[in-house]
């Protein structure tokens, strides 16, 4: 595997699942692969789980790690080509990326959507330059439009907890005080479409995800109807794609609560975290035995390590 | 040892001293205990000594380390239960802590008193949640009311430098331009009470420490009288406990200077650092041969490592 | 080698070049030297290359590393002696440095010129205190007046790419929107003077470097004349030394462009990075095959590791 930006980079979804469970059983069994190898984690945005789980994954593989917080540690970086750099950005990605690539064997990058320019975000301007200029494999730690490490962990978590071969998985929009990127939702849909699960997406009108991610996935605008018989409820807020980056609703009627969960087939509750309690989901739901958010978060480490294993094995 | 929050968590004070000296003699002799183990250091506040000495201690034990600066690296974290999270805090400790715990084997936490709410501070709201939710041992890297890694280092330093079995140890308040927590002073008293040293505390009126820490320890309001015959002078500023978080005095008459040190039994001068020169203590005293602040700081590494050894040995 | 602050600290320039090429061929061959040794990297200023390349160098040597960002991680540090510390600085270098030194085996320090006080900058007030108080070897990761890790990498890069024994090397000033220190330029001149290359420095009037660095090196105020027959063009902006810290010119006539490079002997283009594209140098030049800035940056890792090897060997 030469990079990990989307589900398409995997050798196969079966191999991905198999590798994850192999790692989960034997996390320290592959340290020879990482000996004298280094991963640099580049953060353009904040991170808790991704920061810790990816570092831990690399260390489990026997690798060294270095972390670069672009805003605090380094110069501000320019991403547009051909520009006269007499403003605030002191260095261009065109130099910074290949230089970082020379100091390591794998680069992880986090670069969120900025919601300033839909084109720039959906072309993954920063991530694409990393892939093009790094000279070493690049792992997305969440781009502007996808969060594949999260989706990989979500998939493995569903595989662990599913009670039927073809579970019903519901992705539900939920309210949030701030405008959040579509990356987690896009990516979740993209990954679920690679499985034979029954996938239903539910959200208020105006929150339709980008067609290239949704394809022919079913949208059910009635959240309660969507929840009926669900085996997994995956909650997530995102800002509007069509009215790009806007908040169209903060309707607490969409909060995932005990009454709605009662409509499901004792569904497991999932969320990528961080989650706003009593906004996205009630305390009652997230603190219930059916909440699997902590194990889901642990699987971030497992699948990050699986990604590194597949990369280090070439 | 399952956690390290106060002196009460130690198997015994004798075992603690013995382990520290064992580590000091042989810092690299226990790396098998830390193999494939990871410590995460979580900082809600700034740190120099604690940051470096605790990381170094963990590395000496053969552990991997990861550092999380909550303010710069991550989301802001909510610590109150039952709240509707539509404000600035993006994640609740109720999720963040168990997730961090899944990525590591020991968590170190620094969370100072905020001086907004005495109850919240003295209930150690953040530290207590870490202990309750982490699922792995938690080491205080300074809480709201105690700084046990510092006190442990202080104890070991006194053991190294004492010339009599039962030295006279004086904890003296000193002026400072800012309102500082009582943690170091509380903790120092708590630890000294576990020894048979002669302990005297001196401070201006209004600076009485919390009764649960002081017990029946003698307060001598006349600083010069307190210094007479002292073997160790431990200087530290703290804000008022009774007038919670307030500065009642900036009296430079309380600065530790050469004249006062001349009243002692050639006392060693100690301070946890960072220290304000010529405010808390004069250049003349801290630069004198009787100043042992650097060795005291080095013992932070020794005792942090001793704590990790006791934890890793179970 | 006991410290690495300037070219004078090297055993010899020949030994330095030899060690660098030895490391470049065999980066993982000396890990026994760094076993159970730790390097602390202290940053008073931002860093990308230095941060990553020096950490990587230390890890290649088998060392542990810890990073301290003074501004974000720690207290603000006082550097003046004898001061009453009742202002914003909470700790004095007089304590902080020996304490850091007790937690590690080598300290790297970055402390740029502040342009507030020429005397303070040119006496290297911070770096000098580190050397005096650390108790362990100190490596400059760029001081106020020199950047020896950069110059060492520059030297090795020229040695790798030179086609004649005695290449013509041109250091050219270039415009920049902000006032930058003279450290890279000073240091480059200092190192080049240790070789038998032909060195020419070119800049607008008023940008003369400090006499102690320049000695009798030739200044050619006509940039085009300077470029004639050059084998290497080294571009760098610096603020005025005589009108200390001032920007006297932002003349884009000094930008390194294709027309000027055409005057050279197919010169290689070098820059320490970060570089302002289309201000210091045009896209056309830095993207040309004669641009060796990325390999030059990679040599930062190589020579940092060579420095550590020479230090660890004593």
């Amino acid at each position: 595997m030469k990079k990990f930006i989307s589900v398409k980079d995997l050798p196969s979804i079966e191999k991905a699942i198999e590798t994850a469970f192999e790692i989960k059983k034997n996390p320290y069994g592959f340290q020879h692969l990482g000996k004298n190898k280094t991963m640099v984690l580049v953060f353009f945005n904040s991170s808790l789980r991704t920061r810790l789980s990816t570092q831990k994954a690399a260390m489990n593989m026997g690798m060294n790690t270095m972390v670069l917080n672009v805003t605090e540690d380094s110069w501000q970086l320019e991403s547009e080509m051909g520009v006269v750099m007499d403003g605030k950005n002191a260095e261009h990605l065109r130099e910074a990326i290949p230089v970082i690539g020379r100091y390591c064997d794998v680069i992880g990058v986090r670069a969120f959507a900025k919601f300033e320019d839909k084109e720039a975000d959906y072309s993954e301007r920063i991530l694409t330059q990393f892939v093009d200029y790094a000279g070493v494999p690049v792992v997305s730690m969440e781009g502007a439009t996808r969060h594949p490490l999260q989706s990989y962990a979500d998939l493995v978590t569903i595989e662990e907890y599913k009670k039927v071969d073809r579970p019903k998985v519901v992705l539900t929009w939920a309210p949030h005080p701030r405008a959040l990127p579509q990356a987690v939702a896009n990516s979740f849909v993209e990954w679920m479409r690679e499985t034979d699960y029954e996938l239903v997406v539910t959200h208020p009108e105006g929150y339709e995800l980008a067609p290239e991610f949704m394809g022919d996935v079913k949208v059910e605008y009635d959240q309660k109807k969507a929840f009926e018989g669900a085996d997994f409820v995956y909650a997530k807020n995102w800002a509007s794609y069509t009215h790009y980056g806007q908040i169209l609703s903060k309707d607490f009627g969409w909060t995932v609560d005990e009454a709605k969960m009662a409509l499901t087939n004792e569904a497991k509750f999932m969320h990528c975290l961080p989650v706003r309690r009593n906004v996205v989901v009630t305390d009652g739901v997230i603190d219930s035995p059916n909440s699997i958010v902590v194990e889901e978060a642990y699987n971030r480490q497992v699948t990050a390590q699986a990604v590194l294993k597949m990369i280090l094995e070439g």
Side-chain angles (χ1 to χ4, degrees), chain A:
Chain A
M1 206 162 68
K2 295 291 178 211
K3 66 181 196 299
F4 184 70
I5 303 300
S6 92
V7 71
K8 308 292 180 201
D9 296 311
L10 292 174
S12 76
I13 201 92
E14 292 76 21
K15 168 76 177 165
I17 293 170
E18 181 194 311
T19 305
F21 285 120
E22 193 185 4
I23 288 288
K24 196 155 182 173
K25 242 184 299 181
N26 187 17
Y28 309 117
F30 306 95
Q31 297 186 346
H32 56 285
L33 292 173
K35 191 175 154 59
N36 289 331
K37 306 270 187 205
T38 298
M39 179 171 193
V40 171
L41 293 83
V42 181
F43 290 98
F44 287 84
N45 311 94
S46 293
S47 171
L48 187 152
R49 263 157 299 282
T50 298
R51 179 183 298 275
L52 296 180
S53 64
T54 313
Q55 275 188 82
K56 180 76 186 306
M59 297 188 306
N60 278 359
M61 290 303 292
M63 302 179 80
N64 291 316
T65 61
M66 298 192 284
V67 175
L68 188 74
N69 294 317
V70 174
T71 312
E72 292 111 31
D73 295 347
S74 169
W75 328 102
Q76 293 314 290
L77 298 174
E78 177 62 53
S79 64
E80 261 189 86
M81 301 307 290
V83 74
V84 175
M85 290 174 59
D86 55 1
K88 71 177 173 60
N89 294 328
E91 179 153 21
H92 202 287
L93 287 176
R94 193 66 194 83
E95 277 75 57
I97 296 169
V99 166
I100 295 171
R102 291 291 268 133
Y103 298 146
C104 68
D105 303 280
V106 181
I107 300 178
V109 192
R110 163 161 287 198
F112 288 173
K114 292 183 185 167
F115 284 151
E116 290 163 6
D117 176 348
K118 190 178 188 166
E119 291 284 321
D121 286 345
Y122 271 71
S123 69
E124 293 281 5
R125 189 193 278 166
I126 292 179
L127 207 51
T128 303
Q129 291 191 51
F130 269 88
V131 170
D132 288 349
Y133 305 146
V136 297
V138 171
V139 173
S140 167
M141 300 195 302
E142 187 169 344
T145 64
R146 288 179 178 90
H147 192 355
L149 283 174
Q150 180 64 50
S151 306
Y152 188 1
D154 297 335
L155 172 68
V156 166
T157 307
I158 294 173
E159 285 294 303
E160 280 184 308
Y161 284 90
K162 73 179 186 186
K163 292 176 194 151
V164 293
D165 271 358
R166 202 171 162 262
K168 178 175 174 183
V169 176
V170 178
L171 168 65
T172 181
W173 182 92
H176 198 282
R178 298 173 67 176
L180 300 189
Q182 294 98 28
V184 169
N186 287 341
S187 212
F188 185 76
V189 170
E190 188 175 50
W191 282 66
M192 291 300 107
R193 288 174 64 191
E194 297 287 318
T195 70
D196 60 358
Y197 306 160
E198 182 191 349
L199 174 65
V200 177
V201 177
T202 181
H203 55 68
E205 291 196 36
Y207 278 101
E208 290 73 18
L209 293 168
E212 66 260 38
F213 287 101
M214 283 297 284
D216 57 1
V217 170
K218 189 182 160 188
V219 178
E220 171 54 70
Y221 291 95
D222 181 336
Q223 192 189 25
K224 288 181 185 165
K225 220 163 166 183
F227 273 45
E228 282 169 16
D231 297 295
F232 293 89
V233 168
Y234 194 100
K236 183 74 188 83
N237 171 271
W238 61 89
S240 175
Y241 171 74
T242 41
H243 300 82
Y244 193 62
Q246 290 183 35
I247 296 177
L248 307 179
S249 164
K250 294 188 179 183
D251 182 2
F252 274 43
W254 280 81
T255 300
V256 178
D257 61 15
E258 293 90 322
K260 287 174 200 158
M261 289 301 284
L263 303 171
T264 68
N265 182 27
E266 293 188 35
K268 299 297 181 193
F269 175 78
M270 299 177 71
H271 190 283
C272 61
L273 306 181
V275 68
R276 301 269 181 159
R277 281 172 168 253
N278 304 311
V279 179
V280 169
V281 58
T282 60
D283 284 341
V285 170
I286 197 166
D287 290 333
S288 78
N290 278 330
S291 169
I292 56 175
V293 294
V294 173
E295 195 63 20
E296 182 186 359
Y298 174 64
N299 283 332
R300 293 291 311 277
Q301 174 190 312
V302 172
T303 51
Q305 197 180 338
V307 165
L308 289 174
K309 180 172 184 285
M310 289 185 278
I311 285 176
L312 291 173
E313 287 176 337

